[in-house]
Amino acid sequence: MTKNQILLYLAIAISGVVGPILFPNYIQQMAVLWVMVLMASTWDITGGQMGYNSLGNITFFGVGMYISAVIQVSMFYDIALYTASYGAIKPVFTDEQYFSGLAMGILAGGVGCVVLARLLGAVVFGLRGPYFAIGTLGVAIAAGQIAGTIDTIGGGAGISMPFFPWDIHFRSTFFYIICFVLAILSHFTIRWMFSTQFGLAANAIRDDEDKAEAMGIPTMKYKQFGWGIAAFYMGCSGAVFGNMVGYIEPIEVAFPAPTFGIFMVAMALLGGKGTLWGPVLGAVLFHVIKETTWTYLLGWQWVALGLILIVNIVYFQQGIMGWLQTKYPEKFGITVDQSTTQAKEEA
């Protein structure tokens, strides 16, 4: 890494640590910010780098949430009795039970979503373009409806998560730390992925998948791997988010396709899809604008967000990072072949 990159990562680390101290009343909002960063960054693996614009990555978020809930409860109690509407049992989790269940739930949520991504990928990656987007959106909507019919996990009424056993004032900080760590881990995982042959293969798939296959690139293998990484981190973040909220409801919390499902795409587009830092920048700006409009323009927040999307798509298709790279290529290590450019101009 260059000196500037090291300084940038250092600034992010400091802001991540100091943020909760300086703004103690906004810790949960900052935790959600890191979830947004993770969502936008992992969506970009297939959406920006491969050209497979998924509208169903929120499926892994919800599935990871439910897997974590089932693991956390069933390790110590009967899950069916726990979710019974008549309150069959009144569970009490010790510190050891809560934290061991949470750790196992987060891990199981991530691994379970990798398995699900492998199964779904065998079907949906047979589609391309808008058909892939619509197909994955259908999966997300169906997942929410199916979850609402399974009484064991609470059905449409949802399921309450185990209570945080420590001081309630530390609860938001605890989940903030986990969200921050997951976002950082996902970023460096993606950075590593695209520094390897995977990055070249992903861009070849985006440019022309048929030619990539003709050249011997196992496109399905790379697509499955990229989606699996995204599914793992989305599943883990869903497990954490469910515990942070404290209650899982199938449509609004676990599988919010009309909100978080669209937000992750909008954030990547705003920042500049297909770039490492674009989704991060887009997530930060989008979340700040969203929270500001929700606070000061209540009733007009959707209009404001809609206008941002329209301006972005119509006038700013390359996103902020894409525009900056075009405007100042030397700042990003991009070398322009002046001889080729001059020859084209003379022609």
Side-chain angles (χ1 to χ4, degrees), residues 61-137:
F61 187 73
V63 170
M65 198 179 294
Y66 272 110
I67 289 176
S68 178
V70 171
I71 293 294
Q72 289 179 244
V73 174
S74 60
M75 283 176 64
F76 311 103
Y77 295 95
D78 186 304
I79 184 68
L81 294 178
Y82 180 89
T83 57
S85 59
Y86 51 83
I89 58 175
K90 297 186 181 298
V92 177
F93 295 86
T94 65
D95 290 11
E96 182 181 354
Q97 289 175 336
Y98 179 86
F99 291 111
S100 63
L102 177 63
M104 289 298 297
I106 294 173
L107 181 60
V111 173
C113 286
V114 172
V115 175
L116 177 62
R118 179 67 179 83
L119 297 174
L120 290 176
V123 178
V124 297
F125 278 126
L127 305 172
R128 295 187 186 181
Y131 302 103
F132 177 80
I134 295 171
T136 52
L137 176 61

Side-chain angles (χ1 to χ4, degrees), residues 105-268:
I106 294 173
L107 181 60
V111 173
C113 286
V114 172
V115 175
L116 177 62
R118 179 67 179 83
L119 297 174
L120 290 176
V123 178
V124 297
F125 278 126
L127 305 172
R128 295 187 186 181
Y131 302 103
F132 177 80
I134 295 171
T136 52
L137 176 61
V139 170
I141 295 174
Q145 296 298 323
I146 292 172
T149 64
I150 303 175
D151 293 333
T152 304
I153 56 175
I159 176 174
S160 296
M161 300 301 292
F163 289 110
F164 185 73
W166 290 357
D167 187 346
I168 191 65
H169 298 293
F170 181 66
R171 183 179 185 276
S172 295
T173 303
F174 175 78
F175 287 112
Y176 170 87
I177 293 171
I178 300 179
C179 292
F180 177 62
V181 170
L182 280 177
I184 295 299
L185 288 175
S186 67
H187 174 84
F188 279 103
T189 300
I190 295 169
R191 182 187 178 91
W192 165 77
M193 286 170 57
F194 288 100
S195 67
T196 65
Q197 189 176 359
F198 177 88
L200 297 175
N203 292 161
I205 293 171
R206 179 189 61 197
D207 294 340
D208 194 320
E209 185 172 350
D210 292 329
K211 288 182 179 178
E213 288 184 351
M215 294 175 64
I217 298 175
T219 57
M220 180 60 78
K221 173 184 174 182
Y222 284 110
K223 290 186 292 186
Q224 289 277 24
F225 179 75
W227 217 33
I229 294 295
F232 176 79
Y233 282 109
M234 283 294 291
C236 290
S237 66
V240 176
F241 190 84
N243 280 276
M244 184 168 65
V245 172
Y247 185 79
I248 300 176
E249 189 274 336
I251 305 301
E252 298 295 331
V253 178
F255 302 97
T259 52
F260 279 15
I262 302 300
F263 288 171
M264 67 178 77
V265 182
M267 291 183 292

Side-chain angles (χ1 to χ4, degrees), residues 17-31 168-174 176:
V17 173
V18 175
I21 299 174
L22 296 178
F23 307 100
N25 295 327
Y26 299 96
I27 294 177
Q28 184 147 335
Q29 287 87 338
M30 289 187 286
I168 191 65
H169 298 293
F170 181 66
R171 183 179 185 276
S172 295
T173 303
F174 175 78
Y176 170 87

